[in-house]
Amino acid sequence: QPRAMACSLKDELLCSICLSIYQDPVSFGCEHYFCRRCITEHWVRQEPQGTRDCPECRRTFTEPTLAPSLKLANIVERYSAFPLDAILGAQRSPFPCKDHEKVKLFCLTDRAVVCFFCDEPAVHEQHQVTNVDDAFEELQRELKEQLQGLQESERGHTEALHLLKRQLAETKSSAKSLRVTIGEAFERLHRLLRERQKAMLEELEADTARTLTDIEQKIQRYSQQLRKVQEGSQILQERLAEADKHVFLAGVASLSERLKGKIHETNLTYEDFPTSKYMGPLQYTIWKSLFQDIH
């Protein structure tokens, strides 16, 4: 029944020319109303006949004056903002307006309770307006859906937090275990390196001692030979300094015996110190030895 009443009231707000809701409703002497543009265009079409009539009652006018209907315009404006079926289907609010008790509506777009007579219709034009009962059911349904979504989100977040906390504990435990493993692995490598360093230093000391001994022995031997060579050279110089021929020749017979063991050739042979074994690509050498140890 309210919908039928709403349709009936809506028909009262239709322009009989354009069959749409009044736009700037005007009257001109009779009790009928039209859109200003519709009646103006109607009269323009009648100019060749020289008459002005009312499309409803056919009453003619010589020079009609268009008078705006502010009251009807206000009703049209409010109808455009607030659907009549919502107005007719609403109950009186238990909290009446300050100045007068009027029916309450609800704007779903603005999420606010509005009054058909108190609020500005233009504010809610093209908005979704309905009665309080329907709005209550609609918003109850929406809020229940939101609650269900929030509850599902809560369960998801709770499960996610549980998994994250478990992962946090497992990560800390794994990191602790890995620290021990890494420490032990590098300690083994350090031990192998220290052992390899010790062995290489011992080998270096052995090579150094052997080489130094060989050199010192050769120095001693060549020092002795040098003294004998110097003695032989002095004997020859003394003999060559003899000016008396008879004395010079008399001493030649014993010269060979005196020079015996005084003449030595320099046949020095020595072995290079094995520096390449300790310099070269030392890191590569150590890596090879470590690789064998680790393997």
Side-chain angles (χ1 to χ4, degrees):
Q1 183 179 0
R3 293 187 179 277
M5 294 176 64
C7 293
S8 177
L9 289 174
K10 181 179 179 181
D11 291 341
E12 296 297 328
L13 301 178
L14 297 180
C15 172
S16 60
I17 298 178
C18 65
L19 301 181
S20 299
I21 300 295
Y22 288 121
Q23 298 291 328
D24 189 12
V26 294
S27 63
F28 45 85
C30 61
E31 296 299 325
H32 300 108
Y33 296 89
F34 304 94
C35 300
R36 182 184 295 273
R37 180 178 178 181
C38 292
I39 192 61
T40 301
E41 292 178 352
H42 174 71
W43 287 342
V44 168
R45 290 192 295 270
Q46 288 186 333
E47 282 187 358
Q49 304 174 7
T51 60
R52 300 283 192 278
D53 66 358
C54 171
E56 286 283 336
C57 62
R58 297 302 178 183
R59 179 179 173 183
T60 60
F61 300 88
T62 305
E63 292 182 359
T65 301
L66 297 178
S69 176
L70 299 180
K71 188 173 183 179
L72 180 57
N74 186 39
I75 294 174
V76 169
E77 181 183 11
R78 292 181 180 278
Y79 176 83
S80 299
F82 305 106
L84 289 180
D85 55 347
I87 297 172
L88 296 174
Q91 298 178 353
R92 291 186 180 275
S93 171
F95 304 100
C97 299
K98 180 179 179 181
D99 297 328
H100 51 290
E101 184 180 352
K102 297 297 179 184
V103 67
K104 289 290 184 178
L105 301 174
F106 190 84
C107 178
L108 294 172
T109 305
D110 291 337
R111 292 292 196 268
V113 178
V114 296
C115 176
F116 175 71
F117 291 96
C118 296
D119 291 290
E120 291 292 333
V123 175
H124 302 281
E125 188 175 0
Q126 305 299 327
H127 288 188
Q128 186 179 359
V129 179
T130 184
N131 60 68
V132 173
D133 293 335
D134 292 342
F136 178 80
E137 294 179 0
E138 175 67 18
L139 292 179
Q140 279 278 319
R141 182 186 59 79
E142 290 184 9
L143 294 179
K144 287 179 181 178
E145 290 178 356
Q146 292 181 8
L147 177 60
Q148 183 179 0
L150 288 174
Q151 290 174 341
E152 292 178 358
S153 179
E154 180 183 2
R155 286 192 294 271
H157 281 76
T158 301
E159 183 178 355
L161 283 174
H162 176 72
L163 293 175
L164 287 172
K165 289 179 181 179
R166 187 176 68 183
Q167 186 180 13
L168 178 65
E170 292 176 353
T171 301
K172 288 181 178 179
S173 177
S174 297
K176 182 178 180 181
S177 176
L178 288 173
R179 289 190 191 98
V180 174
T181 301
I182 292 172
E184 292 176 351
F186 274 92
E187 180 57 33
R188 286 195 297 270
L189 289 174
H190 292 159
R191 185 172 62 252
L192 291 173
L193 282 171
R194 287 192 296 268
E195 292 173 355
R196 205 66 198 146
Q197 179 185 17
K198 180 181 178 182
M200 188 171 287
L201 288 174
E202 290 176 352
E203 187 177 359
L204 173 62
E205 291 299 325
D207 288 340
T208 301
R210 184 177 60 255
T211 303
L212 291 177
T213 300
D214 180 68
I215 293 174
E216 288 173 354
Q217 290 176 353
K218 288 179 179 179
I219 289 174
Q220 184 179 2
R221 184 171 68 250
Y222 274 85
S223 296
Q224 293 175 355
Q225 291 178 359
L226 176 62
R227 286 194 298 270
K228 291 181 180 181
V229 170
Q230 289 175 343
E231 290 174 0
S233 176
Q234 185 177 359
I235 293 173
L236 288 175
Q237 288 178 3
E238 290 175 354
R239 180 52 48 194
L240 290 172
E242 182 61 51
D244 190 309
K245 295 180 181 179
H246 292 284
V247 175
F248 174 80
L249 292 175
V252 170
S254 62
L255 187 61
S256 297
E257 185 64 25
R258 293 178 61 188
L259 292 176
K260 195 173 185 180
K262 306 292 185 184
I263 300 174
H264 295 278
E265 295 183 1
T266 306
N267 295 322
L268 180 61
T269 59
Y270 58 90
E271 186 177 338
D272 290 335
F273 189 71
T275 56
S276 60
K277 181 168 63 174
Y278 303 101
M279 295 179 63
L282 184 60
Q283 291 85 350
Y284 177 72
T285 304
I286 296 172
W287 174 83
K288 285 184 63 178
S289 62
L290 282 177
F291 177 78
Q292 294 172 357
D293 292 340
I294 295 172
H295 182 71

